Amino acid sequence: MNLNNYIPFCDAIILLMEPLVEIVIHDLESQTICYINGSLSKRKIGDASLLDLDTLKLENEIDKIVYPKLNFDGRIIRSISIILEKKWLLCINCDVSVFNQMHNLSQSFLRSSTIRQPESLFKNDWQERLHIAIHAKLTDMGWHFDSLTGSQRKKLAYHLFLSGAFSEKNAADYIAEAISISRATIFKYLKEWRQK
C-alpha cells in the first residue's frame, strides 16, 4: 500500500485532536521522518529518525505499548507506535501535561479545606436538605439527573413526598422546577398520593 493512503487518516486525527496530538511517520529504510503533522516537537520531514531498529525487530507487540516521553519543553507526552507494512513506523504523540495540570487544579480546588457549613446559618435551609435528598436517591438508584425518564421523575417525587419534603411552604413549586416536572403534574401526583 502507498504511504499516501495513510495520510488522510493521520490528518483527520490531528484536525480532531489539535493541539494535543502530533503524528510522525518514519521511513524505516532511510531512517528519516517522511511525514509529520502537529506541533509538539521541533522536528520536520527529512530529519533523522534516531530509531533503535534492533528493538523494533525484536518487539512483536510494539503497537500495544503506550509509553511516556519528555518533550523538549518539559511537557509529558504519551506515545504509541505502529509498524506499517514493515516499511514505516507511525508514532502518535499526545500531550498529557494539560490533563496533569487540570487534575492538580481540580484536586486543589475541590480539596475539602473549607470549614463545615455553620449549622446556625443553614439549619432552616430546607432547599439544601432537599438537594441532598435528591442526590442520595439518584445515587442509590444509579440514576443520572440529566437522563431521568418521566417514570423516574415521578418515583423521585414520590420519594420526596414520603420524606416530608412537600411540607415546606412553596415546596411543591420548587420541587417541580428542580426535577423538571410541570407544576400541574406535581399537584396531580400530590392529590393521588394524599388520597392513599
Side-chain angles (χ1 to χ4, degrees):
M1 187 180 287
N2 192 301
L3 180 62
N4 289 331
N5 292 326
Y6 294 103
I7 302 305
F9 173 74
C10 296
D11 290 342
I13 292 178
I14 296 300
L15 189 61
L16 178 67
M17 301 296 293
E18 195 174 32
L20 299 178
V21 169
E22 174 185 79
I23 297 180
V24 183
I25 300 179
H26 302 270
D27 184 316
L28 294 178
E29 184 177 340
S30 65
Q31 295 190 48
T32 59
I33 293 173
C34 57
Y35 167 90
I36 185 166
N37 196 348
S39 56
L40 296 186
S41 71
K42 299 283 189 181
R43 294 176 295 178
K44 58 186 183 298
I45 291 175
D47 283 354
S49 294
L50 305 177
L51 298 173
D52 184 346
L53 292 182
D54 291 333
T55 300
L56 285 177
K57 289 174 185 175
L58 292 172
E59 185 51 72
N60 295 321
E61 298 186 341
I62 191 169
D63 59 339
K64 295 182 176 66
I65 300 172
V66 176
Y67 53 93
K69 292 166 60 176
L70 188 65
N71 206 35
F72 71 93
D73 55 6
R75 287 182 291 175
I76 301 297
I77 307 295
R78 288 185 73 193
S79 301
I80 189 166
S81 297
I82 304 165
I83 295 177
L84 304 175
E85 304 175 37
K86 300 184 179 179
K87 297 179 181 179
W88 306 287
L89 181 71
L90 182 147
C91 299
I92 303 173
N93 306 314
C94 181
D95 177 9
V96 296
S97 63
V98 63
F99 299 108
N100 287 334
Q101 293 168 8
M102 290 167 61
H103 175 72
N104 293 337
L105 178 61
S106 63
Q107 280 195 322
S108 175
F109 186 75
L110 297 174
R111 187 171 49 234
S112 54
S113 59
T114 53
I115 302 171
R116 246 184 69 167
Q117 294 178 349
E119 291 186 15
S120 59
L121 182 61
F122 289 95
K123 67 179 181 180
N124 294 320
D125 189 350
W126 62 269
Q127 292 180 353
E128 174 78 6
R129 296 195 304 275
L130 173 69
H131 299 166
I132 293 170
I134 291 173
H135 177 71
K137 182 64 174 178
L138 292 176
T139 302
D140 183 54
M141 300 302 293
W143 296 341
H144 296 283
F145 187 84
D146 293 333
S147 58
L148 286 173
T149 65
S151 172
Q152 289 171 336
R153 291 180 198 280
K154 182 176 182 180
K155 290 176 182 175
L156 178 57
Y158 185 60
H159 168 73
L160 297 174
F161 172 76
L162 294 178
S163 302
F166 286 91
S167 61
E168 300 288 346
K169 184 179 180 182
N170 299 321
D173 289 337
Y174 185 82
I175 292 171
E177 185 173 353
I179 63 175
S180 300
I181 294 179
S182 72
R183 186 174 183 274
T185 301
I186 277 290
F187 280 102
K188 184 182 82 171
Y189 290 160
L190 287 175
K191 183 178 179 181
E192 172 190 329
W193 297 332
R194 285 167 179 162
Q195 287 176 348
K196 287 184 179 180

